[in-house]
Amino acid sequence: MTILENAETRKSSAEQSHGVKSSHAMLMLGAAGVVYGDIGTSPIYALRETLRAATNGAGVAAKAEIIGSLSIIVWALTIIVTFKYALIVLRAGNQGEGGTLSLAILARKVAGRAQYIVTALGVIGAALFFGDAFITPAISVLSAVEGFVLTDPDIAGYVIPITASILITLFAVQRFGTSKVSAVFGPVMLVWFGCLAISGLGHILDDPSVFQALNPLEAIAFAIDHSTVALAVAGAAFLAVTGAEALYVDLGHFGRTPIIHTWFVLVFPALVINYLGQGAFLLSNAGYVDQPLFEMMPDWGRIPIILLATAATVIASQAVISGAFSMARQAAQLHLLPRLTIIHTSETQSGQIYLPQINWLLLLGVLSLVLGFGSSDAIAAAYGISISGQMLVTTLLLALVMRGVWRWPLALVVVVAIVFAAIDAMFLTANMMKFFEGGWVSIFMSSALLAIMVVWTKGSKRLFDKTRKHEIPLTTLVNSLKKNMPHQVPGTAIFMTGDPDSAPTSLMHSLKHYKVLHEQNLIMTIKTLPVPFVEDEERLTITPVDDGFTRLTVAYGYMEDPDIPGALKELRKKGIKFDIMSTSFFLSRRMLVPAASGLLKGLMTRSFIRLTRFAADTTSFFRLPTGRVVEIGTQVVL
């Protein structure tokens, strides 16, 4: 920055600098609440479950088991969250946006012939994310509510009803928007991380030998000496890093620098100090394992910390729910899922959205887990498979980006990819060992979402190919109309179609039944481009066909919601004059009928037809004026 001698200018520059610092601080505070909500609540159960795995559920851990388990947790946080996500993955922004689908789209650009494989990995990663979205609210809230049992054992019978009530309330308020609640997320989590650090410091000197856990050789020695339980311990220790993917998913909301600074300045130190404090507390109490985080609190502070933990788990759950909404919107815009009803709950923040179908589906799944498993210990067995699988997908896609986009040396890419992939594969294998104990739930939920995406994409392609066979080229229709022009009526008609080269079915049926043609006809196609956002100057593509027909392509990014009236306002600026309130929108409403076919094909066809019934209404999805829409039905046999 150039230093000017003018005093007023120096004052202005100082004010701007203060504004930047203030904005950065607010982003860091917001990141503490949203990005780190999940990983920040892991101390409630991560060390507890790791030690139970190390002792085969004995409940009393020896010093070597405590030090070894702590070392695995600390170095998992260091390697996976710090090195992999904070320092490398966060660099892979697609126009500033993150997440598995964004990374897959970025990798597709350099994948060459492997584009279909990259797309498949992106779809699998998205499905795995949804598997995690079901489990995180269940285990987080349940583990916090279980803490009340320490204050009054009689509460044990009410843990499930209290947890269910909190979760039902959380999902019920989603339709009102989270902007007001989100305003307190950061401050609450700031207090939470402060309490984690203070409580850890208060006990870390109970047994200074706990600092041995900072030596990575302790983790290696433990794995060698306890080979029979090493994988089980790794699977439990993985609970400490669940939520790491949130750093990348929320990249577009907060930016890379605030997320990284929040991790190094606040979250990472607080977590490490607290885990060491828990370990020292256990070492000084004969290694008895129950609820170390809550038990090491003074009696007067136990209830307040449990209440704060409950609030923190609700925040962690809210962050996952919001992430699921965002991921579902991306998937729908990329045509991996049916169109979803999207309700914007904020006039200023486009990311504040509510998806009713996804919301109630998540609530049903979360309550099923709470009621079915009954305790956070049991749910912990289901936790980890989907997240570790998603992390492995991220590593594979990242390798393509490092080599093809960043142009890193091949040797460096190979080394980095192998190290991260080996660690991810180890944790995935460790979590797969819990398959029959509950891990099957994660696989089932992710597989169900994956099946829905596959059915929808394949069914949509079949429907497109089927309808295209019965349509004629638009230019052929236009030329034939010149020879035998039907009666023309004043005004503009917009025919929406997925294939701009063919005459829309709605246009053909309009000519057949009404036998009239508007003076101005726009053949409109909505395209979703493989970028988060589309610049305004690239939004519209206008291609005249003749004096009465014009092709119009409206492009959106996968993070944008289609707004046809808004796009048409720009169209008028480009010289195409019309009054939107006197314009008719013609849509094709297809009635799908399954054809006689084999068992598998018939099942997929019927599943696709059922999915179409859950798709959001075209008129509301594209924000069309309801009084100006004409839907023309046609039957299609699939």
Side-chain angles (χ1 to χ4, degrees), residues 1 161 274 332 356 367 397 410 421 463 524 554 558 562 597:
M1 179 182 294
N274 185 264
L367 289 180
L397 295 175
L410 179 60
L463 177 60
M524 177 183 288
V554 186
Y558 58 82
S597 58

Side-chain angles (χ1 to χ4, degrees), residues 270-328:
L271 292 177
V272 172
I273 291 171
N274 185 264
Y275 282 122
L276 292 177
Q278 288 189 47
F281 173 78
L282 291 171
L283 288 171
S284 64
N285 285 272
Y288 177 72
V289 180
D290 189 14
Q291 296 268 21
L293 177 65
F294 297 136
E295 289 176 342
M296 69 181 188
M297 298 294 172
D299 292 339
W300 60 266
R302 191 162 293 170
I303 291 180
I305 198 65
I306 293 173
L307 290 172
L308 181 60
T310 304
T313 57
V314 169
I315 291 172
S317 302
Q318 178 61 63
V320 172
I321 294 169
S322 299
F325 289 167
S326 178
M327 182 71 77

